Amino acid sequence: MQDDGSRLLDRRQALCALGVLGVGAIAAACSSSTKTTGASNTTSASSASTASSGSASASTGSATATACTLTPEVTEGPYYLDINDVRSDITEDRPGAPLSLTITVLDASQCAPLQNAAVDLWHCDAAGTYSGVQGSTGTTFLRGTQVTDGNGNVTFASIYPGWYQGRAVHIHMKVHVNDSVVHTGQLFFDDSMSASVFAASPYRGTPDTPNNQDMIFSQAGGSTAIVPLTATGNGYTGQIAVGVKHS
């Protein structure tokens, strides 16, 4: 098992290697040797939809930050794998309702989009199973990394996550700047939306744990951690902003 320092070094080396192959944003992310500090726990949260309340706001393709707050830190959970797989489509062979998820990373101290941050995303499949663990060793489905563009955005093509006993429907994420983790969080989904999605195969019906009974939901910011979704064809599109402190 690698320690945190080794995993972060591995990530930086992998992203730099891709930069040599022409991925300019990744190369830029590797050009600085400045160390940064992780974000501290806080009860404030960012919201992609309510700028007037002092939260960060985001629009498709760009982020317009009128005010910024730190998004709360929560546990990464037991299933994080540092696989350094830089890709936008993390679906692989997993069936489920298509989900296009855009995350806008904002520098909470400057109220500005944060470019060249590496965002890890991972979640369970429709059956509640994570890749790489729980008997799925060697698989990588529904895991991946993207590097934020000039608007602080990353977009992942995935599926609507399933559920497993004792947890509400959620997605895990980490944000790295250079060789430091600046945010570890979880994103959630509206309970009524999940009930609608899970009424069809391959999902398993209504989760046993709604958001308000989940042990992490309130720590993650409650309703501000819920991803706003729009029905698109046979799937969904969502976008949410995350405020981080990186210096």
Side-chain angles (χ1 to χ4, degrees), residues 35-238:
K35 301 284 184 177
T36 57
T37 58
S40 59
N41 290 341
T42 175
T43 58
S44 299
S46 67
S47 169
S49 60
T50 319
S52 60
S53 67
S55 299
S57 66
S59 58
T60 302
S62 65
T64 303
T66 57
C68 296
T69 57
L70 283 175
T71 299
E73 295 279 303
V74 298
T75 178
E76 71 178 34
Y79 304 131
Y80 176 63
L81 298 176
D82 189 12
I83 62 174
N84 294 320
D85 196 348
V86 180
R87 56 182 181 169
S88 59
D89 190 338
I90 63 176
T91 308
E92 293 189 16
D93 61 347
R94 298 294 100 172
L99 173 65
S100 176
L101 175 61
T102 297
I103 299 171
T104 302
V105 181
L106 301 168
D107 180 342
S109 62
Q110 299 183 29
C111 292
L114 185 58
Q115 186 176 10
N116 295 330
V119 179
D120 289 335
L121 203 75
W122 71 102
H123 63 85
C124 70
D125 66 6
T129 301
Y130 284 89
S131 63
V133 296
Q134 300 177 318
S136 298
T137 304
T139 61
T140 59
F141 58 82
L142 307 179
R143 296 179 183 271
T145 300
Q146 282 283 285
V147 175
T148 57
D149 61 18
N151 295 311
N153 291 334
V154 292
T155 298
F156 290 91
S158 188
I159 63 168
Y160 198 99
W163 62 276
Y164 49 95
Q165 186 175 12
R167 288 300 317 274
V169 182
H170 63 283
I171 285 178
H172 295 266
M173 64 175 296
K174 274 182 180 286
V175 180
H176 309 253
V177 175
N178 295 321
D179 49 2
S180 292
V181 176
V182 298
H183 177 70
T184 302
Q186 295 184 27
L187 304 175
F188 291 80
F189 296 84
D190 179 78
D191 287 327
S192 61
M193 178 69 75
S194 294
S196 176
V197 173
F198 296 162
S201 177
Y203 296 96
R204 303 182 298 142
T206 305
D208 68 347
T209 306
N211 287 332
N212 62 8
Q213 294 179 22
D214 184 84
M215 59 185 175
I216 302 296
F217 179 67
S218 61
Q219 299 174 26
S223 61
T224 62
I226 294 177
V227 179
L229 293 180
T230 300
T232 307
N234 64 339
Y236 300 90
T237 299

